[in-house]
């Protein structure tokens, strides 16, 4: 009987300490579309807007990609960041979007595609990030064929607006001896 009360109290204490809001970022992506496929493989460039808001723990994202073979996609969805210590992170994304093969790109069987990916990387205390993402495009069997595609891209995430340290790291102690990273921002 005491355990549920303790758990409820711990949950209420956690609920009173909200997570810091993420910062808005613009990410630049560069890599290989159809990695591992010698026939349809091409270079790709992309951009992603990572909104500085959350829905529960999910962060909205919107972006696009263009391949050297003419393929392109525009998408919007959500991401989930999982910190791995002070600077490392894993980020999962899911986003439905529109795909076009262009003049020489791979036919993925349908215009509607679902982009799912996993990124791992390092984020500085000022918010800049460098990562490596593997993502998959699939039509979810909406078309007669569903060949899918895999891309491997390097991501450079640049904070937009605001200055100072990344609030996502405010829960970690300041390595220079302050009690919190946020306290060093205020002392500057």
């Amino acid at each position: 009987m005491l355990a549920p009360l303790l758990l409820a109290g711990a949950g209420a204490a956690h609920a009173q300490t909200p997570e810091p809001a993420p910062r808005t970022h613009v990410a630049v992506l560069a890599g290989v579309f159809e990695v591992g496929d010698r026939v349809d493989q091409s270079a790709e460039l992309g951009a992603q807007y990572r909104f500085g808001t959350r829905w529960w723990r999910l962060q909205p994202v919107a972006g696009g990609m263009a391949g050297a073979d003419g393929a392109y996609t525009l998408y919007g969805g959500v991401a989930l960041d999982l910190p791995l210590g002070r600077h490392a992170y894993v980020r999962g994304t899911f986003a439905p979007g529109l795909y076009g093969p262009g003049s020489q790109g791979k036919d993925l069987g349908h215009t509607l595609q679902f982009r799912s990916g996993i990124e791992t990387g390092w984020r500085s205390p000022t918010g800049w990030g460098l990562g490596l993402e593997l993502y998959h495009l699939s039509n979810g069997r909406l078309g007669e064929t569903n060949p899918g595609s895999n891309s491997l891209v390097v991501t450079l995430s640049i904070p937009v607006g605001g200055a100072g340290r990344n609030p996502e790291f405010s829960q970690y102690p300041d390595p220079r001896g302050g009690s919190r990273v946020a306290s060093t921002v205020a002392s500057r």
Side-chain angles (χ1 to χ4, degrees), residues 137-171:
L137 287 178
S138 171
N139 69 32
R141 297 185 186 229
L142 294 174
E144 288 185 29
T145 62
N146 183 24
S149 72
N150 297 306
S151 291
L152 185 62
V153 293
V154 174
T155 63
L156 176 62
S157 177
I158 305 159
V160 178
R165 292 186 171 272
N166 187 351
E168 294 169 10
F169 291 103
S170 64
Q171 74 249 24

Side-chain angles (χ1 to χ4, degrees), residues 93-149:
T93 58
F94 176 78
L98 303 175
Y99 172 81
S103 61
Q104 299 175 351
K106 183 175 182 178
D107 181 4
L108 294 182
H110 202 278
T111 303
L112 180 60
Q113 295 290 316
F114 301 96
R115 182 187 191 278
S116 54
I118 188 157
E119 176 183 339
T120 186
W122 180 87
R123 192 171 297 132
S124 77
T126 57
W128 286 73
L130 183 62
L132 185 65
E133 180 184 26
L134 176 64
Y135 75 86
H136 179 74
L137 287 178
S138 171
N139 69 32
R141 297 185 186 229
L142 294 174
E144 288 185 29
T145 62
N146 183 24
S149 72

